[in-house]
């Protein structure tokens, strides 16, 4: 990210962080998390479809964000396809573990190396993704409900994090372009 030409100019004005893909990623995580929270008796095939579609949608959102290397959404998408193809608890868990480990490690690396508007969010999301990936193998023997619960819990945490980040980025994008009407600045509200 390049520094702003003017010291008074906000960082987000030099290269705006897209808030729409962030909110899309949040929505994907929250929808998956809510499905897993309210699905009382999922089958092995239901686990495969839910996890596979979640990983594919996450790969799409990560691809749209365009801040992580290209191989990251590809690996996540392959994890989603792997979950759909294997349709066993162990196969789905292994597919999700690989996808979430790659995603989490990439997010941690991005958060440490790049100091941008969402660096802390990358770090938190990376820790949650890696933690979810590490925890999943311990729940394989408990079945589809436990696996969806662990993955859904991580998805909800990341979803809440990314929705707050996306809304903040959206607000900053609006305020950096200047107030649209008299009295609409943040100072007028406070």
């Amino acid at each position: 990210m390049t520094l702003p030409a003017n010291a008074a100019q906000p960082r987000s004005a030099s290269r705006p962080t897209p808030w729409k893909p962030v909110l899309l990623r949040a929505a994907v995580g929250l929808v998956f998390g809510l499905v897993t929270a309210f699905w009382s008796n999922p089958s092995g095939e239901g686990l495969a479809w839910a996890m596979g579609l979640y990983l594919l949608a996450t790969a799409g959102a990560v691809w749209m964000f365009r801040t992580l290397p290209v191989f990251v959404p590809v690996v996540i998408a392959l994890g989603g396809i792997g979950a759909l193809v294997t349709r066993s608890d162990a196969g789905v868990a292994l597919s999700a573990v690989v996808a979430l480990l790659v995603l989490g490690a990439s997010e941690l690396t991005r958060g440490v190396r790049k100091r941008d508007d969402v660096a802390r969010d990358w770090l938190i999301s990376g820790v949650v993704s890696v933690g979810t990936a590490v925890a999943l193998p311990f729940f394989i023997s408990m079945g589809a409900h436990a696996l969806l619960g662990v993955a859904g819990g991580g998805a909800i945490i990341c979803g809440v994090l990314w929705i707050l980040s996306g809304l903040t980025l959206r607000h900053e994008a609006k305020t950096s372009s200047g107030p649209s009407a008299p009295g609409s600045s943040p100072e007028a509200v406070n």
Side-chain angles (χ1 to χ4, degrees):
M1 184 162 122
T2 59
L3 293 175
N6 181 356
Q9 183 182 15
R11 278 190 299 160
S12 60
S14 63
R15 182 177 160 244
T17 305
W19 55 269
K20 289 179 184 178
V22 174
L23 288 179
L24 176 64
R25 180 154 179 219
V28 167
L30 290 174
V31 166
F32 175 71
L34 289 174
V35 165
T36 64
F38 292 108
W39 197 353
S40 62
N41 195 14
S43 64
E45 188 165 327
L47 166 69
W49 278 101
M51 189 73 74
L53 293 176
Y54 165 65
L55 291 173
L56 288 170
T58 301
V62 170
W63 174 262
M64 287 178 62
F65 201 22
R66 301 209 192 272
T67 54
L68 296 177
V70 174
F71 76 89
V72 175
V74 170
V75 171
I76 298 168
L78 289 174
I81 292 169
L84 290 170
V85 170
T86 59
R87 295 185 186 223
S88 69
D89 291 354
V92 171
L94 179 63
S95 298
V97 164
V98 170
L100 292 173
L101 273 176
V102 168
L103 175 63
S106 298
E107 288 175 333
L108 284 169
T109 303
R110 171 77 183 180
V112 169
R113 288 188 179 167
K114 303 285 184 181
R115 288 293 161 198
D116 58 4
D117 295 338
V118 291
R120 287 186 191 152
D121 300 330
W122 287 118
L123 290 172
I124 296 168
S125 182
V127 167
V128 171
S129 295
V130 168
T132 302
V134 169
L136 276 174
F138 296 106
F139 292 89
I140 293 173
S141 63
M142 294 182 190
H145 192 260
L147 291 170
L148 282 175
V150 171
I156 286 175
I157 293 168
C158 288
V160 169
L161 169 80
W162 287 116
I163 201 162
L164 292 173
S165 179
L167 292 174
T168 301
L169 291 170
R170 182 173 184 257
H171 174 72
E172 288 176 357
K174 281 188 172 187
T175 57
S176 68
S177 64
S180 57
S184 65
S185 70
E187 291 81 23
V189 174
N190 294 327

